[in-house]
Amino acid sequence: MTTVMVVDDHPMWREAVERDLVARGFEVVATAGDVGAAVRRARAVRPDVVVMDLQLGEGSGVDATRDVVAALPATRVLVLSASAEQADVLEAVKAGASGYLVKSASADELADAVTRTAAGDAVFSAGLAGLLLGEYRRLQSGPDDGAPRLTERETEVLKLVSRGLSAKAIAERLVLSHRTVENHVQNTLRKLQLHNRVELTRYAIEHGLADPDSA
């Protein structure tokens, strides 16, 4: 069973998220309403996933995300925020968030996002990955000539991983076997000296390796 911690400064919303997750088979091991409590309780219970709001009263979910990820590398943070602003999404990812979901998402969409985040996928609400990719492209002064060379197919798979697609979805999109997609992912991880899909997504964002309009 996936263990989850819910962090939100609004008690009613926090309780609603907890209730929805428990009803869908997750174990909510802790909740918190501010940055200090979030970090302390995360250290104590070591959840698989922290569902993190960005607005935490006088504190910031970005700071809490950074501290949780630094203290617990195996714990993944999924931001659940009312904001879909580019700056907020960008800061959350830079702080170490594995994904970003807006609060207009349904309970089932949240449950699916938590499951995928726990499995190592990078999960974003529709359109948010494109915002990130567009911003990083604007920050790029030019192509990174020192970047490892990927094959055309590896680059194509990397782009789809950065958009939050699962291996199964990528296989269906590219008409490949699931094993072939996983082989491309593993080869790309090895070439880039990365460890998981979340790091692949950050790499793709930082190097502008996807078309933001297609995300």
Side-chain angles (χ1 to χ4, degrees):
M1 181 181 292
T2 300
T3 58
V4 184
M5 178 176 173
V6 179
V7 182
D8 196 293
D9 66 334
H10 290 92
M12 289 181 64
W13 184 268
R14 189 167 65 238
E15 291 166 9
V17 171
E18 178 181 8
R19 183 170 58 250
D20 287 341
L21 290 175
V22 169
R24 286 161 177 78
F26 298 95
E27 181 183 1
V28 177
V29 293
T31 64
D34 59 65
V35 175
V39 177
R40 289 193 305 273
R41 292 173 190 172
R43 284 174 176 269
V45 301
R46 297 179 173 269
D48 298 316
V49 178
V50 175
V51 176
M52 179 78 71
D53 189 17
L54 288 187
Q55 304 301 323
L56 298 177
E58 296 181 359
S60 166
V62 170
D63 293 334
T65 294
R66 185 179 295 110
D67 290 346
V68 168
V69 170
L72 303 169
T75 294
R76 303 186 184 280
V77 176
L78 172 65
V79 170
L80 180 63
S81 175
S83 171
E85 293 296 321
Q86 177 175 283
D88 290 333
V89 181
L90 188 64
E91 286 303 310
V93 172
K94 288 168 62 177
S98 297
Y100 195 112
L101 210 62
V102 294
K103 285 186 174 179
S104 58
S106 68
D108 287 338
E109 288 172 332
L110 173 60
D112 178 68
V114 171
T115 298
R116 291 176 58 196
T117 299
D121 290 342
V123 184
F124 294 90
S125 289
L128 295 187
L131 288 176
L132 288 169
L133 293 165
E135 176 63 14
Y136 270 110
R137 274 193 163 184
R138 283 190 288 274
L139 293 175
Q140 294 295 309
S141 59
D144 185 355
D145 295 331
R149 293 188 179 277
L150 302 177
T151 66
E152 182 177 349
R153 182 63 86 183
E154 288 167 350
T155 300
E156 192 172 17
V157 170
L158 175 57
K159 291 177 180 179
L160 294 175
V161 168
S162 74
R163 291 168 57 186
L165 273 68
S166 66
K168 179 180 179 182
I170 293 172
E172 292 175 353
R173 176 77 62 90
L174 300 181
V175 194
L176 299 172
S177 71
H178 183 277
R179 176 169 297 201
T180 297
V181 171
E182 288 291 355
N183 285 340
H184 284 312
V185 170
Q186 292 304 315
N187 287 339
T188 304
L189 286 169
R190 177 179 52 78
K191 287 182 178 181
L192 301 180
Q193 298 183 0
L194 302 175
H195 302 93
N196 53 52
R197 285 177 172 80
V198 173
E199 291 183 3
L200 278 180
T201 296
R202 292 189 188 126
Y203 180 92
I205 290 170
E206 290 169 359
H207 292 80
L209 292 179
D211 181 357
D213 294 332
S214 67

